[in-house]
Amino acid sequence: MSSRRNCLVNLSLKEASTTNAGLWLDKFIRNQAEDDKKSRRLLVDDVAGIKEPDEYSLWFKRWEGTLLNYGAQCRVAEVLGRMAVGLGEESVLETSVALHHTYGVPYIPGSAIKGMAASFARQYLGDDWQVDNPAYKTVFGDTDNAGYIIFFDALPLPGTGHSYPDVITVHHKDYYKKGNLPPADWDSPNPVPFLSATGKYLVAVAGPAAWTNAVFEILQYAFLELGVGAKTSSGYGRLKLKPAPIVTDKDQEKADQLIGQIKALKNPEVAGRIHAFYEQWKSIEINAEQKRRIAEAIIAKVKEAGREKQSREKSWYKDLLASLVD
């Protein structure tokens, strides 16, 4: 028997291409019978096929700007292989996944990042970073006081956060479930579908500068050695934290000057002059972070002038968009 309402029984993912992936995962399983493995596998395949909403890139830029205005330090971490976060949370399946409640993209909760960093500190950083010592309490807090460092949720850079169908194969189901039957070679494997994720994620922490620097040093190794989320013993959840960009006053001055010119451009002038700013962006020799700022300013001006639709298929505009994904 279908678990959907009658009016939704035949709804296909193609007809709801703009839906929220988390909503589809929670509400649109075809059949909730415990032994209906096909419906569960199809549900995982459906959710993995849902694309990132078009509005997400705009929201992400506001989110990043809010973090920077708050004084947070931000670094990008790239998943090496696959990541399974939120696998044990409540779900219509036997497994779950952490998806953003509004945009349905995979993300890493700040609590998971903090827990991983705290575990790494206790295991590998010696006596100075044990639970009762000042350094540990300063960063992570204790039962009486919060730590000085805020760990924000890590959201995927636009165009990079993808979900994929994956599978856990339990070979001795009755042994694990009942406990009174021994595992045997004739037990039937029981494939359990789940969703894993890839992508580049914006990792942000806020607090006193010296301590946030220390936290990023911890995260650099914790992401590689421990991993985040579930199935880390099988290689899931490893990320590589990119180094902090080196910003020089000269580079920032060049970028600020060009961005000022772009912002001063009047909307009716955009069609005839914006490509010249793209050429300057392409040839300017400054660090990657400042170059990214210029690309964002050009794209913002195109949108402000209402010329995004006309520019979307242009090679120069695609080049700018691609630079923001790297």
Side-chain angles (χ1 to χ4, degrees):
M1 179 182 294
S2 174
S3 61
R4 298 183 185 179
R5 287 178 292 169
N6 290 336
C7 62
L8 301 176
V9 168
N10 297 316
L11 180 67
S12 69
L13 186 60
K14 185 177 181 180
E15 295 170 306
S17 58
T18 60
T19 193
N20 181 294
L23 178 64
W24 194 277
L25 179 64
D26 288 340
K27 303 297 183 183
F28 286 89
I29 190 170
R30 290 167 172 79
N31 192 325
Q32 285 188 307
E34 186 176 354
D35 59 350
D36 190 353
K37 297 178 182 178
K38 181 179 179 181
S39 288
R40 294 166 186 266
R41 187 181 69 254
L42 290 174
L43 179 64
V44 167
D45 291 342
D46 282 350
V47 175
I50 297 176
K51 296 181 179 179
E52 174 189 294
D54 293 338
E55 314 83 54
Y56 175 71
S57 60
L58 298 175
W59 178 86
F60 180 86
K61 293 193 184 309
R62 292 197 300 271
W63 165 253
E64 185 178 16
T66 301
L67 291 173
L68 295 174
N69 290 336
Y70 185 78
Q73 289 192 40
C74 301
R75 302 266 292 275
V76 173
E78 183 174 4
V79 178
L80 305 175
R82 298 284 181 88
M83 174 180 68
V85 176
L87 197 66
E89 298 297 323
E90 185 177 348
S91 171
V92 296
L93 303 173
E94 294 177 53
T95 58
S96 187
V97 63
L99 297 175
H100 191 270
H101 60 88
T102 304
Y103 294 101
V105 294
Y107 77 103
I108 310 172
S111 57
I113 297 173
K114 181 177 181 179
M116 177 195 66
S119 178
F120 182 87
R122 293 193 304 269
Q123 292 182 54
Y124 296 101
L125 299 185
D127 294 340
D128 291 341
W129 285 88
Q130 296 308 302
V131 174
D132 295 330
N133 287 334
Y136 187 92
K137 290 182 179 181
T138 298
V139 173
F140 304 110
D142 56 23
T143 55
D144 296 319
N145 299 287
Y148 280 81
I149 301 300
I150 301 172
F151 292 79
F152 294 92
D153 293 344
L155 279 299
L157 273 60
T160 72
H162 303 293
S163 297
Y164 292 92
D166 220 321
V167 65
I168 303 170
T169 303
V170 180
H171 288 272
H172 308 292
K173 180 181 178 181
D174 291 337
Y175 169 70
Y176 291 117
K177 191 172 183 179
K178 300 177 182 178
N180 59 350
L181 295 173
D185 292 339
W186 52 83
D187 289 342
S188 298
N190 180 44
V192 178
F194 73 100
L195 285 159
S196 59
T198 61
K200 299 176 182 177
Y201 293 78
L202 187 70
V203 179
V205 298
W211 288 106
T212 55
N213 291 335
V215 167
F216 274 122
E217 284 291 320
I218 293 172
L219 290 176
Q220 178 181 348
Y221 295 102
F223 276 133
L224 289 173
E225 296 295 331
L226 293 185
V228 67
K231 293 179 66 63
T232 53
S233 61
S234 299
Y236 284 71
R238 296 317 197 264
L239 293 91
K240 183 178 181 180
L241 191 67
K242 292 190 175 182
I246 299 173
V247 179
T248 66
D249 293 338
K250 189 175 181 181
D251 284 354
Q252 186 165 344
E253 184 179 341
K254 287 181 180 179
D256 288 345
Q257 183 178 3
L258 189 54
I259 290 171
Q261 295 173 13
I262 295 167
K263 289 182 176 179
L265 194 64
K266 295 179 180 178
N267 288 345
E269 300 173 330
V270 169
R273 297 183 57 189
I274 199 67
H275 189 268
F277 285 107
Y278 161 75
E279 293 293 345
Q280 291 184 62
W281 168 83
K282 192 174 181 180
S283 61
I284 195 170
E285 295 184 0
I286 55 177
N287 67 65
E289 183 63 24
Q290 297 305 315
K291 202 158 185 174
R292 180 187 181 90
R293 288 180 59 220
I294 297 170
E296 290 173 344
I298 295 173
I299 291 171
K301 176 57 69 173
V302 169
K303 292 178 178 178
E304 180 186 316
R307 296 197 58 82
E308 184 182 15
K309 185 177 180 180
Q310 299 94 317
S311 304
R312 195 173 293 161
E313 297 304 318
K314 303 288 187 182
S315 59
W316 63 268
Y317 194 74
K318 290 180 178 180
D319 194 15
L320 288 169
L321 292 174
S323 74
L324 301 183
V325 175
D326 293 338

